[in-house]
Amino acid sequence: MKKTDLAYVAGIIDGEGCIRLASRGLRNNLVSYYIGVEVGMTNKDLIYSLKEMFGGCVIVRNQQGNRKTRYDWSLRTKMALDFIKLIYPYLRVKKQQADVALRFQSRRRHHEKCNNVRGRNPLSQEEVQLLEMIEQESKSADY
């Protein structure tokens, strides 16, 4: 992919996108942490071109009244990480969010994202606290 294309996509993320660390609850009071990239807009062609270039999924949200249909493109976990690494040099506004995502990924052991899921590579209490802190930084960063 050309550098100009990556810079263009980074501009879309800077203007319309979100790079974040999120968590979701699992059974037995376990928590799963993941990184994500999202873009939501009414330009269907642009959203589907992002999906074609980088993968991920698209959700179509039909709006009520006279509002246009919204299209949401998203990447999670490894696909999000690979995407962030590609566009990182060209980010300006969302560079802090990208740093949070990369920091999170560097702290993961053996690419395990879950705290003690089925006994695999359980996270220490310190790691869980660090992930919670990073998640809060992700939420409080300027979007």
Side-chain angles (χ1 to χ4, degrees):
M1 186 168 293
K2 295 181 201 174
K3 290 181 181 181
T4 53
D5 292 336
L6 294 173
Y8 174 75
V9 171
I12 293 168
I13 298 301
D14 275 341
E16 301 291 330
C18 172
I19 298 172
R20 67 190 187 108
L21 171 65
S23 65
R24 65 184 177 99
L26 301 174
R27 292 184 296 243
N28 301 324
N29 293 324
L30 300 176
V31 177
S32 172
Y33 294 90
Y34 63 92
I35 58 174
V37 176
E38 300 168 1
V39 174
M41 61 175 54
T42 60
N43 187 319
K44 176 182 178 180
D45 293 337
L46 180 56
I47 291 295
Y48 278 98
S49 69
L50 290 171
K51 182 182 187 315
E52 185 178 313
M53 287 187 287
F54 302 103
C57 67
V58 173
I59 297 173
V60 179
R61 300 187 190 278
N62 294 315
Q63 305 295 325
Q64 294 187 8
N66 62 354
R67 298 179 71 188
K68 292 182 179 181
T69 299
R70 185 175 127 181
Y71 301 88
D72 294 336
W73 169 73
S74 65
L75 295 171
R76 298 280 185 264
T77 60
K78 178 149 177 26
M79 289 176 78
L81 177 68
D82 293 343
F83 175 77
I84 292 167
K85 287 179 179 178
L86 279 174
I87 66 166
Y88 186 85
Y90 310 103
L91 288 171
R92 294 183 181 190
V93 176
K94 300 291 173 34
K95 198 150 220 144
Q96 180 183 359
Q97 291 85 353
D99 287 335
V100 168
L102 295 172
R103 181 173 160 208
F104 163 74
Q105 192 64 29
S106 73
R107 298 293 299 189
R108 287 180 60 192
R109 290 198 320 230
H110 308 296
H111 299 285
E112 283 297 325
K113 67 180 176 185
C114 298
N115 179 19
N116 201 21
V117 172
R118 297 187 198 112
R120 297 178 303 191
N121 296 325
L123 299 174
S124 69
Q125 188 60 35
E126 294 79 25
E127 289 171 309
V128 170
Q129 289 172 346
L130 176 64
L131 290 175
E132 289 170 351
M133 182 186 74
I134 293 171
E135 181 181 20
Q136 285 305 313
E137 287 178 19
S138 175
K139 287 179 182 176
S140 67
D142 287 331
Y143 288 98

